[in-house]
């Protein structure tokens, strides 16, 4: 069916099937429905709301085959990211679905930079962007960096080049214009929809490895399976026992490992990294300015991490270690934690951020 054939009339039987017989609603049905949804000026707002609600109530959005189908539709409609020398590197990402409500320090962005300082090539995607962008802009000392990684693109724009540098940060909304059309409807609903959790599955950089944090244990296997179907080769899907979307520094974490085409479930603890446990109150986040200052004190500490930041430091080491294991740089979590520690203490992590900033400035100068 072409876009010119999408209409309220052709959408109605799909919606009816989803509402009345959800057990028979197939991935192909979902693809067809989403293409209706993402075609401008086709559906009535009531149909959009009913569709999103039915997906949620019947938990159709939780089936791994449907997560994969939805991710495929969004990737098909996404703008392209031109990754320099992507065939030469095992590109990785670390990201969480959000929604755990803990307001912790922004560990995934920090862990990504630490891992890049230890040798990983990280292209990090983010959808909930305000906190992370503020930190990076504050530390960059120049808003010109926005033109390198954060600038919005016209749908017909050529691919934005992502240079071969250790760390790059890109914004999902700038590569997925289809999502903008349904944003008002999602925001009006009193629950998180499928699209709140799809972000990690649709990184336009197509990473080969990923650490993906989730807040619902029940989604562990479906997400790991969806990553596999989306072309990811190695991954750790993680969920802290507290239902947090990172590896917990306070206790055990559920893990679904994707390796060699298979998904296996296990659990890990801080002791597996050779590190101590810390209560979540010790790694709480603050406002953007406070988090930026913590980030700077941690990564630009002159070789010695301040004593009051040890809980945050070890929280970051755990998550950076997992990414280094996925990237194939560390053989296990303890080695990964040591490599991550050296990245911070030596200043290599901070240097990775500086390289990102310098590339942004070059890009801005070349395109004035």
């Amino acid at each position: 069916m072409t876009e010119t054939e999408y209409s309220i009339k052709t959408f109605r039987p799909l919606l009816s099937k989803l509402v009345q017989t959800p057990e028979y609603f197939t991935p192909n049905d979902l693809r067809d429905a989403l293409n209706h949804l993402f075609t401008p000026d086709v559906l009535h707002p009531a149909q959009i709301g009913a569709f999103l609600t039915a997906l949620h109530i019947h938990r159709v959005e939780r089936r791994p085959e449907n997560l994969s189908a939805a991710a495929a539709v969004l990737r098909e409609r996404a703008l392209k990211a031109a990754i320099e020398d992507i065939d030469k590197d095992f590109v990785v990402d670390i990201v969480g679905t959000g929604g755990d409500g803990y307001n912790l320090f922004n560990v995934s962005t920090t862990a990504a930079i630490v891992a890049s300082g230890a040798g990983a090539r990280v292209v990090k995607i983010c959808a909930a962007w305000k906190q992370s962008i503020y930190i990076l802009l504050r530390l960059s000392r120049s808003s010109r960096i926005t033109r390198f990684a954060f600038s919005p693109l016209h749908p017909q724009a050529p691919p934005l080049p992502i240079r071969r540098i250790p760390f790059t940060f890109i914004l999902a909304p700038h590569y997925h214009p289809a999502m903008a059309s349904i944003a008002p409807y999602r925001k009006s609903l009193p629950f998180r929809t499928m699209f709140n959790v799809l972000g990690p599955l649709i990184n336009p950089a197509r990473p080969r490895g990923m650490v993906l944090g989730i807040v619902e244990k029940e989604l562990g296997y479906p997400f790991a399976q969806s990553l596999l179907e989306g072309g990811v080769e190695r991954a750790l899907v993680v969920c802290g026992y507290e239902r947090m979307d990172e590896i917990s520094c306070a206790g055990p974490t559920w893990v679904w490992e994707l390796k060699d085409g298979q998904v296996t479930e296990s659990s890990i603890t801080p002791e597996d990294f050779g590190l101590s446990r810390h209560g979540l109150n010790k790694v709480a986040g603050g406002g953007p300015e406070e988090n930026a200052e913590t980030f700077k004190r941690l990564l630009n500490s002159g070789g010695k991490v301040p004593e009051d930041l040890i809980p945050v430091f070890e929280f970051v080491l755990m998550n950076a270690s997992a990414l280094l294991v996925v990237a194939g740089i560390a053989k296990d979590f303890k080695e990964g934690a040591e490599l991550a520690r050296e990245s911070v203490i030596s200043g290599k992590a901070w240097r990775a951020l500086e390289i990102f900033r310098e590339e942004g400035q070059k890009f801005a100068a070349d395109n004035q």
Side-chain angles (χ1 to χ4, degrees), residues 10 23 50 55 61 70-71 91 98 100 109-110 129 162 166 170 178 190 228 248 291 305 313-314 328-329 366:
T10 57
E23 65 273 22
L55 279 179
E61 61 191 23
V91 173
D100 61 19
T109 298
T110 312
W129 55 270
I162 304 298
I170 59 178
L228 172 63
S248 176
N291 284 352
V305 174
F313 180 43
E314 296 200 342
I329 293 171
D366 293 342

Side-chain angles (χ1 to χ4, degrees), residues 59 61-63 67 97 197 214-224 237 256:
R59 301 189 70 80
E61 61 191 23
R62 296 301 192 259
R63 299 175 194 164
L67 285 170
T97 57
V197 299
I214 59 174
V215 299
E216 298 179 60
K217 179 179 184 288
E218 299 75 19
L219 289 181
Y221 181 81
F223 263 82
V237 178
W256 295 263

Side-chain angles (χ1 to χ4, degrees), residues 163-243:
R163 295 290 303 278
R164 194 184 189 190
I165 58 177
F167 170 78
T168 306
F169 185 99
I170 59 178
L171 286 177
H174 295 166
Y175 289 85
H176 296 283
M179 297 286 280
S181 63
I182 63 168
Y185 308 103
R186 291 170 52 208
K187 291 178 181 178
S188 69
L189 296 172
F191 52 82
R192 288 164 61 83
T193 71
M194 168 188 283
F195 303 103
N196 289 94
V197 299
L198 275 176
L201 300 178
I202 54 175
N203 186 335
R206 299 293 182 93
R208 296 169 64 188
M210 183 174 289
V211 175
L212 193 165
I214 59 174
V215 299
E216 298 179 60
K217 179 179 184 288
E218 299 75 19
L219 289 181
Y221 181 81
F223 263 82
Q225 195 66 31
S226 295
L227 289 175
L228 172 63
E229 294 178 16
V232 174
E233 297 174 29
R234 292 198 297 266
L236 294 173
V237 178
V238 300
C239 178
Y241 272 34
E242 308 88 349
R243 293 191 175 270

